[in-house]
Amino acid sequence: MFAMNSGMSNDLFSVAPATVADIPALCRLAEATWWHCYRGMISDEQIRFMLAWMYEPERLRSEMADGVDWLLLCRAGATAPVGFAAWSGTGRGREARLHKLYVHPGHQRRGGAKALLDSVYRRAADAGYRRLSLTVNRHNRTALQCYQRAGFHPCGTQVRDIGGGFVMDDYILARPLAAD
Ligand SMILES: CC(C)(COP(=O)(O)OP(=O)(O)OC[C@H]1O[C@@H](n2cnc3c(N)ncnc32)[C@H](O)[C@@H]1OP(=O)(O)O)[C@@H](O)C(=O)NCCC(=O)NCCS
């Protein structure tokens, strides 16, 4: 694993910060990954509702301006992104929150999520955070397996009304971040 100023890379993937110019690619990736992952786990109506809400380009632009750190995953030697992560501080002590972790279905199970997570750990630790938390749908077994493997532990549940008649029914997970 080679650390770089802007991100991280391994043999198969590189990770680098996203900019506003990457928003269209982020939205396309979200669309492809969401339908593959969430169809059957939540209703099609809820998928449409959440994609329109969470991936509205102006919302992403304002999140980037407000300090949410969006990271792009690319296959080594390629420029088209195949995944992304987003995290920011929570405003509660030294806790950071992982908001997004997505790898395109055609590129999963090759260490892409691990490369993104390693980059988030390093950047969040360098910014002074000592704990990384996240929420994940209780029925998302693949993601739960990925987070468990990455050292996250369960620390609660959260049912959140997101409007439109929909709720997010999640586990809260967290893991420590190394200080050095
Ligand atoms: C969850 C997700 C990000 C994992 O991405 P990935 O690039 O395939 O993950 P990696 O290859 O880095 O695998 C990391 C670990 O996750 C676990 N894992 C990943 N995919 C898995 C699967 N299909 N079944 C079981 N475990 C799996 C494994 O433990 C794996 O480690 P291992 O290969 O050493 O056993 C990806 O499946 C995804 O984008 N899913 C849809 C979106 C999503 O659910 N995001 C999380 C929202 S909270």
Side-chain angles (χ1 to χ4, degrees):
M1 186 75 64
F2 307 100
M4 304 188 299
N5 282 343
S6 56
M8 310 255 317
S9 66
N10 62 21
D11 288 347
L12 277 180
F13 295 101
S14 65
V15 178
T19 70
V20 288
D22 298 309
I23 289 175
L26 285 168
C27 294
R28 281 195 300 275
L29 267 175
E31 177 91 23
T33 312
W34 266 67
W35 284 104
H36 184 265
C37 169
Y38 292 114
R39 185 168 249 166
M41 197 186 308
I42 55 178
S43 69
D44 287 4
E45 292 73 22
Q46 182 162 354
I47 294 174
R48 268 189 285 276
F49 178 87
M50 291 183 70
L51 276 172
W53 166 50
M54 296 170 82
Y55 293 91
E56 202 273 308
E58 191 48 47
R59 180 188 173 104
L60 268 59
R61 211 169 284 125
S62 100
E63 285 184 8
M64 285 178 184
D66 289 346
V68 176
D69 189 25
W70 285 77
L71 300 170
L72 281 181
L73 178 76
C74 291
R75 296 302 294 259
T79 51
V82 296
F84 61 90
W87 72 276
S88 67
T90 59
R92 290 189 305 277
R94 293 184 176 200
E95 180 170 327
R97 175 62 62 107
L98 181 69
H99 303 292
K100 312 243 179 347
L101 180 72
Y102 289 89
V103 176
H104 186 281
H107 299 271
Q108 291 176 2
R109 219 60 215 268
R110 293 182 177 90
K114 186 175 182 320
L116 282 165
L117 285 169
D118 284 344
S119 192
V120 171
Y121 302 155
R122 174 52 41 223
R123 294 167 71 85
D126 286 352
Y129 295 102
R130 293 294 169 262
R131 178 179 150 98
L132 183 66
S133 62
L134 61 87
T135 56
V136 54
N137 186 295
R138 289 192 213 196
H139 304 290
N140 191 346
R141 289 168 57 183
T142 303
L144 284 165
Q145 177 71 30
C146 173
Y147 291 133
Q148 185 183 26
R149 173 101 170 145
F152 286 83
H153 55 268
C155 48
T157 58
Q158 174 179 284
V159 179
R160 186 175 157 209
D161 185 336
I162 54 170
F166 303 114
V167 293
M168 286 169 69
D169 183 12
D170 291 340
Y171 288 123
I172 304 168
L173 309 182
R175 60 157 281 161
L177 293 170
D180 52 289

